[in-house]
Amino acid sequence: MTKRRKNRQDHLANLAGQTSPALEVWRRFRKNPVSMTALVVLVALIVAAILAGFVFDYATQITGINAQERLQFPSASHWFGTDAYGRDVFMRVLYGARYSLFIGIVTSAVSMVFGILIGASCAYFGGIYDAVVMRIVDAVVCIPSMLLMLALVAVVGKGMRGIIIALVVTSIPGFSRIIRSIVQNVVNQEYIEAAHACGTGDAEIIWRHILPNCFAPILVDVLMNVASCIMAASSLSYLGMGIQVPAPEWGAMLSDATSMMRAYPYLAIFPGIAIVVTSLSFNLIGDGLTDALDPKNS
């Protein structure tokens, strides 16, 4: 009886010492101070962007005109100064995070879904289907992305809808190629052959056996793509083909500040810093996850 109890205690101790894969990844990720700092900055920005919609009044504080306080340099009352219409730049930068984060995250998520459908199916089925689809993807990749986005926005129309459609169309080919290469490393594994031998359907093999084992590199690629989409959306707005003023989108704010940049440089500095910091945060988190998901870095 004593021996059985001792064995049970040893078993419970072993279970207590084991950690789940997610906790192990988090433990490795926390060892990277740069990525942790980027995560804290990004979380703070997301929280501020969410609260901005409840704290600030869009009609009066974000897009309203206050001629008495126009073009004031940064001070205690206006941390980032005011623009040519007397609007607080700090409020507009915080509110603008809602546009950039929404566009980046939604675009990457939709592109990931289509990229998985195309890339995973090409890698799994191969043959003529793979050759034809990937040649179409390669043809789209050959077109300069900015040129293609400008053409799509001109056809679909300016604004949020046009930007998201343009970014999704230009992001899908890259996702498809990357996911195809990732899935190709998994599709010939023994457990996939065993699933075939058991009579498992193709769709179930892809969704239950292949994609879960490809989740880590796909997640990292999605994070990297969010940063690219934020910068691309800001570029389109800067060129006047994206979100239109007076909406406080960072690229549109940069475009609006171009004519006054020499006399009032803060009008361009703060939206530019917001774009750089947000994009850099996503990239640094992606780098940290790459190292954390590598089993060699235990």
Side-chain angles (χ1 to χ4, degrees), residues 247-260:
E249 200 275 336
W250 293 336
M253 292 176 67
L254 281 174
S255 178
D256 201 33
T258 302
S259 60
M260 299 178 288

Side-chain angles (χ1 to χ4, degrees), residues 58 61-63 83 87-100 237 243-254 271:
Y58 186 83
Q61 295 177 296
I62 305 301
T63 59
D83 63 8
R87 299 172 299 205
D88 190 281
V89 177
F90 175 74
M91 296 181 185
R92 287 173 60 80
V93 168
L94 280 186
Y95 204 98
R98 298 166 66 93
Y99 290 94
S100 296
S237 296
I243 306 297
Q244 302 296 303
V245 292
E249 200 275 336
W250 293 336
M253 292 176 67
L254 281 174

Side-chain angles (χ1 to χ4, degrees), residues 118-156:
I118 296 173
S121 60
C122 287
Y124 182 80
F125 294 109
I128 298 177
Y129 172 76
D130 178 33
V132 172
V133 173
M134 294 313 298
R135 294 301 75 77
I136 296 174
V137 170
D138 292 340
V140 177
V141 171
C142 290
I143 303 173
S145 59
M146 183 55 68
L147 180 61
L148 181 58
M149 284 189 290
L150 289 172
L152 289 171
V153 170
V155 173
V156 177

Side-chain angles (χ1 to χ4, degrees), residues 99 102-103 106-107 149 152-153 155-169 236 241-243:
Y99 290 94
F102 179 81
I103 291 172
V106 169
T107 300
M149 284 189 290
L152 289 171
V153 170
V155 173
V156 177
K158 302 176 183 179
M160 181 79 72
R161 176 170 168 266
I163 286 181
I164 290 178
I165 292 175
L167 289 175
V168 167
V169 172
L236 288 173
M241 299 296 288
I243 306 297

Side-chain angles (χ1 to χ4, degrees), residues 179-191:
I179 293 172
R180 175 178 175 271
S181 64
I182 294 171
V183 173
Q184 279 183 328
N185 296 326
V186 178
V187 74
N188 294 322
Q189 298 293 326
E190 293 181 355
Y191 62 88

